[in-house]
Amino acid sequence: MEREPLTIEWKDLTAPNVDAKLQQMAAVKSTLNHYDAAQEIVGTKPPRAFWYNTPFVLGLFGLIGGILGWGFGEVLHFRPDARSEARQVIADYETVREEMRLGDVRAEFARDTLAAIKRDYSSNPYFALYVDDTLSAAQRDDRMQELDARDNWNNFLANVLFFGFSGMMIAVCLAMAEPLVERNMNRAAINGVIGAVLGMTGGVAVALMIPKLHAAVLGDLAEQSTRQQEMIAKAVEWGVLGLFLSAAPGVLMGSFKRLGIGVVGGLIGGVIGGILFVPLAEKYSEHLSRFIGIVTIGVVSGVASGILEAAVKSGWLKVTAGLIAGKQFVLYRNPTYIGAHPSCHIFLWKDAQVGKRHAALHLVGGGIELENLPLGAGTMVNGKPIQRMRLRNGDRIQVGRTTFEFHEKQRTR
């Protein structure tokens, strides 16, 4: 039995409800396609990866930064200390002269010993000046002041470079940590540059302030033991350095809250590193104490920043399915963009369904709203397409092949 052909008259095509019906069908088709594509990962909740644990990641990158910073800066502290060497050599030289004067050793042997000391240590400017009989006492004092000034300048320059390089490497690693985990190389590079500037600034500032910090701290605590004074002085110095190390993300976000987290985390790391310096230097060496101190600053600054962020966050997204499942994004910026372009704050790569700027999260009075942007395959909340809506605790957001779970800290009434 043949079917009669379907006929559509002109008045049917121009009926007012046709366009609405076609738009509805297109929306349903888009939603079904979006849902079907997401079925591969939705509902397969992978275990939380330690790689996306913020305190762990920041602590690890802080460790790497501390090791690199110490390695670059420590080279400057392996140069010989001419002043300390001269003090020891002069003491030995005078001991031989005194023994010769008292007749404890043969004069010929003593003269040969003194000549050998002069020959072996002639390159030491302090010792060479001490044994130079052609100079008057006034001339010797003038030359000694010149040597002291030059040596003080060399020590100052070494401290500037040491703290500058150490601070720079720690700050760079901490600033780049999370963007690298998110595979956002563009943002990692920008963070790294800002971190380098802040870290170097902090290091140089500490080196410039060391004499004044020592004078202020040691002067006020003159009645306490020298060891206590030195520990407090080091804690203050390195605490100032720590202030700059974790500040880069907050500066880039323009968020005072994130900046405060970084500053406090860095301060904690710096103070702990400074306190450890003195006992380690007493028991081992300054080289080891600097290593432990700088590495401690990096690790503790990173871990403390991660813990503080978790403690004070008010709204965040947790990735429950997708390439970065387990990652959390704390919502500081307004708006926070989700998309496939590296400039987006939540960067979703390798997903054809995600637009360059796919969605935006707006921090509004008393909550957070999610807005779909017309550059992707649509945004869904709890399985339904949305244009803009207020998010509630536990809402599931689908953007391409990635699923987020929205969380907000419950307000006490």
Side-chain angles (χ1 to χ4, degrees):
M1 181 178 178
E2 294 185 3
R3 296 183 179 179
E4 295 183 4
L6 178 65
T7 59
I8 300 176
E9 297 181 4
W10 178 253
K11 65 180 181 179
D12 295 325
L13 288 174
T14 57
N17 62 342
V18 169
D19 285 342
K21 192 69 174 177
L22 290 173
Q23 291 177 5
Q24 183 181 8
M25 291 174 63
V28 171
K29 183 178 179 180
S30 174
T31 300
L32 290 174
N33 290 338
H34 187 83
Y35 179 79
D36 291 339
Q39 285 304 299
E40 300 173 28
I41 51 176
V42 174
T44 58
K45 184 178 180 180
R48 179 181 176 85
F50 69 90
W51 186 238
Y52 295 125
N53 182 288
T54 300
F56 171 81
V57 170
L58 291 178
L60 175 62
F61 276 81
L63 171 65
I64 295 170
I67 293 172
L68 292 175
W70 175 84
F72 277 111
E74 192 62 18
V75 174
L76 302 167
H77 287 275
F78 278 102
R79 60 188 180 83
D81 186 344
R83 196 173 347 193
S84 297
E85 182 185 63
R87 280 196 292 267
Q88 183 60 49
V89 174
I90 290 171
D92 295 341
Y93 185 82
E94 289 299 329
T95 298
V96 174
R97 289 184 63 183
E98 181 65 14
E99 290 175 345
M100 183 176 68
R101 187 183 68 81
L102 296 173
D104 294 340
V105 296
R106 289 185 297 112
E108 183 179 356
F109 174 79
R111 283 193 292 270
D112 289 343
T113 302
L114 293 173
I117 293 175
K118 284 184 177 181
R119 181 180 63 252
D120 293 342
Y121 293 96
S122 60
S123 61
N124 186 298
Y126 288 95
F127 179 69
L129 181 61
Y130 181 81
V131 297
D132 189 348
D133 296 329
T134 65
L135 300 175
S136 66
Q139 289 175 323
R140 185 175 286 109
D141 289 341
D142 290 341
R143 295 279 184 86
M144 187 64 71
Q145 289 179 10
E146 291 175 5
L147 283 176
D148 284 340
R150 187 180 69 184
D151 206 38
N152 289 337
W153 168 253
N154 289 336
N155 288 332
F156 168 74
L157 185 60
N159 280 331
V160 168
L161 294 176
F162 173 76
F163 282 111
F165 275 113
S166 299
M168 181 179 71
M169 295 310 301
I170 294 173
V172 166
C173 288
L174 290 176
M176 295 177 68
E178 292 203 86
L180 286 177
V181 168
E182 298 162 14
R183 304 184 197 181
N184 190 336
M185 301 306 166
N186 182 64
R187 189 167 296 279
I190 296 172
N191 279 21
V193 171
I194 300 299
V197 172
L198 290 173
M200 179 63 80
T201 301
V204 173
V206 169
L208 293 172
M209 293 167 62
I210 282 177
K212 294 182 179 179
L213 288 172
H214 265 278
V217 174
L218 302 184
D220 292 340
L221 302 172
E223 296 180 359
Q224 297 188 25
S225 70
T226 302
R227 189 170 187 270
Q228 289 175 317
Q229 293 175 18
E230 287 296 329
M231 289 179 67
I232 294 173
K234 285 293 180 186
V236 172
E237 292 168 15
W238 290 26
V240 173
L241 174 63
L243 289 173
F244 292 84
L245 300 185
S246 305
V251 171
L252 289 167
M253 290 179 186
S255 168
F256 287 106
K257 187 175 183 179
R258 184 63 182 85
L259 178 62
I261 290 171
V263 166
V264 173
L267 176 62
I268 293 171
V271 169
I272 293 176
I275 290 173
L276 290 175
F277 182 91
V278 173
L280 288 170
E282 291 174 348
K283 189 171 184 180
Y284 301 103
S285 69
E286 285 202 2
H287 300 298
L288 178 61
S289 65
R290 272 191 293 268
F291 173 77
I292 299 296
I294 289 296
V295 168
T296 299
I297 288 180
V299 174
V300 177
S301 296
V303 172
S305 295
I307 293 174
L308 285 169
E309 181 179 75
V312 304
K313 63 186 179 183
S314 55
W316 66 98
L317 296 181
K318 178 181 178 182
V319 182
T320 57
L323 292 174
I324 51 175
K327 181 77 178 80
Q328 289 192 20
F329 295 92
V330 180
L331 304 176
Y332 293 109
R333 298 179 178 89
N334 190 22
T336 297
Y337 289 108
I338 303 173
H341 194 274
S343 65
C344 288
H345 310 120
I346 300 177
F347 174 49
L348 303 178
W349 67 96
K350 294 183 179 179
D351 191 340
Q353 296 185 66
V354 178
K356 290 184 176 181
R357 274 193 175 181
H358 192 107
L361 292 145
H362 301 274
L363 279 61
V364 297
I368 295 173
E369 293 182 355
L370 175 64
E371 178 187 12
N372 178 61
L373 302 177
L375 295 176
T379 303
M380 296 168 54
V381 176
N382 300 325
K384 298 179 181 179
I386 61 100
Q387 288 305 312
R388 180 161 179 158
M389 68 169 288
R390 179 73 164 266
L391 294 174
R392 292 177 175 79
N393 199 37
D395 280 347
R396 292 174 61 82
I397 302 165
Q398 187 78 31
V399 177
R401 299 168 61 83
T402 302
T403 303
F404 302 90
E405 191 171 85
F406 172 71
H407 295 274
E408 62 181 344
K409 188 169 290 184
Q410 299 300 308
R411 296 174 177 80
T412 56
R413 296 184 178 180

